[in-house]
Amino acid sequence: MAPDANTAIMPTDLLRPDLLRLNASPAGKEEAIREAAQLLIAAGCIDPAYAASMLRREAVANTFLGHGVAIPHGMVEDRGMVRRSGIAVLQVPGGIEWNPGQTAHLVVAIAAQSDAHIAVLRRLTRLMQDEARLTALFTVTDPAILAAALGEDAPLTTPTTPGSDLTERFDWVVDYPTGLHARPATAWVETARASAARIQVRHGDLVADAKALVALLQLGLRAGDSVVVSAEGEDAVAALARMKATITRLTAREKADAAAAAQKARAPARGWTPPTPLPAVPGIAASPGLAIGPVHVLPRAAVSVPDEPVPLIEGGDRLHEALSLTRQTLKALADDTARRLGPSEAAIFTAHAEILNDTDLVTLACQLMVEGHGVAWSWHQAVERTAAGLAALANPVLAARAADLRDVGQRVLARIDPALRTGGAPDLPDTPCILIAEDLSPSDTAALDMARVIGLATAQGGPTSHTAILARTLGLPAMVAGGAALMELANGTPAILDGQTGRLHLSPAEADTADARAWIAREEARKAEEEARRGLPARTRDGHAMEIGANVNRPDQVAVALSQGAESVGLMRTEFLFLERGDAPSEDEQYETYRGMLTALEGRPLIVRALDIGGDKQVPHLQLPHEENPFLGVRGARLLLRRPELLETQLRALYRAAKDGGAKDGGALSIMFPMITALGEVQALRAACERIRAELDAPAVPLGIMVEVPAAAIQADVLARHVDFFSIGTNDLTQYALAIDRQHPELAAEADSLHPAVLRLIRLTVEGAERHGRWVGVCGGIAGDPFGAALLTGLGVRELSMTPRDIPAVKDRLRGSDLSALKDAAQRALDCETADAVRALDGDAS
Ligand code: PEP
Ligand code: MG
């Protein structure tokens, strides 16, 4: 590479010998940063106050570059404290933990007035491609070697990957039927990252760092492939044992998933068979139903990302911010999906978030930025190059993951520059069409005009891609993986899409279309019958009616909940309005959402839960202090009482919605508060409600509390005097009663809400409420378990609110039961000694 202005000035000006310290052993990250800052202060590069700025930076950005190198630097606004550019290097042979699971051996502290340090960063990112040379610098004793490595800018030889292993190793033959895809690979990465040791996976000549998701996926491992997993470093033996345990533990799950998928495939496809054979494009079934209409081929949206270089530090800031905001959105999506649909459906979002932690991907983007490209361009290139590598592996699982990678990449791109947001409504013909596309991101799918799209067929993607999941949620017939043939169809070609068999039948004759219409009519009649059953009340055989609500957070989810048989919304988790975005929604935005919920419910009851932030639901943009034990900290009502601006904005929006809804809609609104422990909290929250209600001259609405803490259950008789209703959050009540973190990877499975101790707390709550004529609902996960719902009914609970898709089975179970038998079963459950004994009563309780 030709030397440039940066390389020319660097060795003498930036990397002076007095700025290098070898063999340092700081006690931790903060000390390391201070030590490096001290070198810069002593060399006259920075004001002493810049050290604090560097530490502040750590709280808002990740300065770990990857591969043992960290690049701490100060806040952008403090650049005035830099007297002249300089770079201090602290070599820490023993390593220090920079972030959990990330160990830094070279701390490269940057003080830059301009882009003068660009050459060092360029050099660093290049060195990262030569792991052996970089690692040698962690312990080198001659400062000249370190200075030369960072100072010279000769091109490195591109590392070929000789298939060598680290000191400890084991062999394994891939026995995951669908190979190593993102979900198990994420578990591998998590295990590997928990160890300080270097761990790698080798397949033939290809070697991947076990801590890098994309690198692992790029191995393209299929069932039957032999790999060597090896490790080196302090805890190598233990680390390898843990890796082996994770890798082999996943086999059973992978085999079960594959068997379930195969069984599904073997099940007779209840799709449509054309009366006369028709030419067809085969694909994979993604969402059932038949669509008849002309096709419309959407040309692949070529995202044109301009290359607009910005100063490197600014580019790094923007990339970091975009990555953390996207991570935050994905975490919110995973949390919401886990609460609504269960952890396995949420896993894909967790895997997506893991892609963003991939140091190779981020390093590649940084390298491109260091080479002088714009941040959006560099990120886009890094994603495209990596996705192209995955897509080229001729492995359908990985090809689908390439689509996932592009989708996550697009989310980040839109954060870097909102003008690059794609997925706006595509140009569609006026008459309804079957939309054909290369692939559709969830945002593309969500933006579709449903009046004009009657079916979806994509050339790429898999049945678990978001497009498929979203199409099923929207009830839109869809097929995926139709291949290139799809894209070659002429616009307007008449077709019949069968989402059940995954085929696009082309150019049907009149008789075929008539037959397909008759099929659709039969299916609609069958569905209507099913829905009518869901619409029946959950009345026991002896006439006791339970109210069945849905846990729904957004107005557009209400219709699905009602179609499943919901009679109300018993829990709207409003924190997700905050979690899914990078800032807090304004009072007006919140008002619109609450009004939207009331309107969609057409007078049916709506219980809105005030913000439940804290615990597992962290909102970075609220800048809450770090807590050692967030589940036992400032969470739910405790936070609302400490952050009046959050509480009051929300209450104003709610009371305005109640007022504007008038008697019909507004009268249906109730407000409840999460994580109540003490009477004083209830009194303070009620007082805030009353003050805001009076200011707005709004109608009074029922005010309830969640019973999620054992203290609240035990004192239910006291609290009931001051509230209009209770809703038991069994997820938290179980966690606090059994002292099991609800997210704990090993223990969470033991946190059974049907544990007799939890049932006794529920019974206490009902008794306390009854003393003051209050009603009790349950909105935790156990309400959606048919047996759990039966026991809760027997315990005297009056309302159950659950994930919409659980409603039909719960209603069926209650309709087939007698209240008297349920009361008996509940009494027996209270007397049981263990959760297993309670579960064993299933079958008697009806
Ligand atoms: C619960 O704790 O049971 C509950 C419904 O609240 P969340 O799951 O949102 O904490
Ligand atoms: Mg809770």
Side-chain angles (χ1 to χ4, degrees), residues 335 339 551 571 573 575-576 609 612 616-617 631 635 672 674-675 706-708 727-736 742 753 778-782 801:
D335 278 358
R339 283 178 164 77
N551 295 352
L571 172 63
R573 292 178 162 108
E575 55 278 8
F576 287 103
R609 177 171 78 183
D612 182 19
D616 57 333
K617 287 171 277 193
F631 276 122
R635 181 189 168 191
M672 75 176 166
M675 265 295 283
M706 295 207 50
V707 175
E708 313 188 82
S727 184
I728 305 180
T730 44
N731 306 337
D732 276 313
L733 187 60
T734 308
Q735 126 163 305
Y736 293 124
R742 61 196 264 183
S753 296
V778 170
C779 59
I782 199 65
S801 191

Side-chain angles (χ1 to χ4, degrees), residues 83-362:
R83 294 188 186 140
R84 62 189 185 80
S85 296
I87 285 163
V89 181
L90 208 64
Q91 180 209 49
V92 190
I96 29 166
E97 186 175 66
W98 206 255
N99 294 312
Q102 295 179 328
T103 304
H105 293 274
L106 283 186
V107 178
V108 182
I110 302 172
Q113 278 173 325
S114 63
D115 293 349
H117 62 289
I118 197 164
V120 166
L121 277 179
R122 174 185 295 166
R123 187 70 198 145
L124 276 172
T125 46
R126 279 180 180 277
L127 271 170
M128 282 176 183
Q129 293 178 357
D130 185 350
E131 189 110 29
R133 185 158 183 217
L134 181 65
T135 311
L137 296 182
F138 297 168
T139 46
V140 76
T141 48
D142 181 352
I145 296 179
L146 186 57
L150 294 173
E152 77 198 45
D153 201 17
L156 292 164
T157 47
T158 314
T160 51
T161 33
S164 62
D165 300 312
L166 306 174
T167 41
E168 303 293 332
R169 55 172 274 174
F170 70 85
D171 295 0
W172 184 66
V173 176
V174 181
D175 59 359
Y176 302 166
T178 45
L180 182 66
H181 57 97
R183 236 178 306 160
T186 304
W188 290 25
V189 170
E190 276 167 9
T191 305
R193 291 216 177 133
S195 303
R198 233 179 104 197
I199 306 174
Q200 69 175 37
V201 179
R202 180 174 65 78
H203 172 50
D205 275 350
L206 294 175
V207 179
D209 178 350
K211 298 180 185 179
L213 180 67
V214 176
L216 279 178
L217 291 178
Q218 274 171 332
L219 292 176
L221 296 179
R222 294 161 176 259
D225 284 348
S226 297
V227 295
V228 178
V229 184
S230 60
E232 188 169 86
E234 254 172 63
D235 62 342
V237 175
L240 216 50
R242 282 194 295 272
M243 277 304 284
K244 193 167 185 177
T246 297
I247 291 172
T248 49
R249 178 172 50 78
L250 290 169
T251 299
R253 157 97 185 268
E254 287 298 306
K255 285 189 173 161
D257 282 357
Q263 196 181 13
K264 228 172 158 187
R266 278 197 303 275
R270 290 184 21 248
W272 172 72
T273 316
T276 51
L278 291 175
V281 181
I284 296 176
S287 171
L290 218 54
I292 309 171
V295 303
H296 179 78
V297 182
L298 207 62
R300 187 164 172 28
V303 203
S304 149
V305 181
D307 190 0
E308 290 162 348
V310 291
L312 192 60
I313 291 282
E314 184 192 325
D317 284 347
R318 282 173 53 196
L319 183 59
H320 276 311
E321 194 187 327
L323 288 170
S324 53
L325 286 174
T326 310
R327 238 177 248 127
Q328 191 180 315
T329 307
L330 289 168
K331 163 116 178 39
L333 279 170
D335 278 358
D336 185 24
T337 311
R339 283 178 164 77
R340 291 193 299 114
L341 301 177
S344 54
E345 270 87 349
I348 189 63
F349 294 109
T350 316
H352 273 196
E354 189 51 53
I355 290 176
L356 297 182
N357 292 336
D358 190 273
T359 40
D360 287 348
L361 186 65
V362 177

Side-chain angles (χ1 to χ4, degrees), residues 363-497:
T363 303
L364 180 53
C366 289
Q367 281 170 337
L368 293 166
M369 279 161 50
V370 166
E371 281 170 14
H373 296 287
V375 50
W377 189 93
S378 301
W379 173 254
H380 182 60
Q381 278 296 314
V383 169
E384 278 306 312
R385 289 181 197 180
T386 313
L390 286 173
L393 287 167
N395 175 329
V397 175
L398 294 185
R401 295 290 85 92
D404 283 337
L405 177 58
R406 289 196 169 105
D407 194 18
V408 184
Q410 183 53 44
R411 280 181 193 274
V412 177
L413 206 55
R415 290 287 189 182
I416 296 173
D417 181 355
L420 295 173
R421 199 183 295 275
T422 58
D427 266 347
L428 294 176
D430 288 337
T431 45
C433 65
I434 297 169
L435 191 66
I436 312 271
E438 188 84 34
D439 204 357
L440 284 172
S441 73
S443 18
D444 293 332
T445 316
L448 292 178
D449 177 354
M450 291 320 227
R452 292 199 274 170
V453 177
I454 52 173
L456 284 180
T458 61
Q460 300 177 4
T464 55
S465 67
H466 286 127
T467 313
I469 293 169
L470 244 112
R472 284 198 285 276
T473 317
L474 296 169
L476 202 61
M479 71 174 241
V480 294
L486 268 186
M487 300 304 290
E488 280 155 23
L489 293 176
N491 270 349
T493 308
I496 298 177
L497 170 66

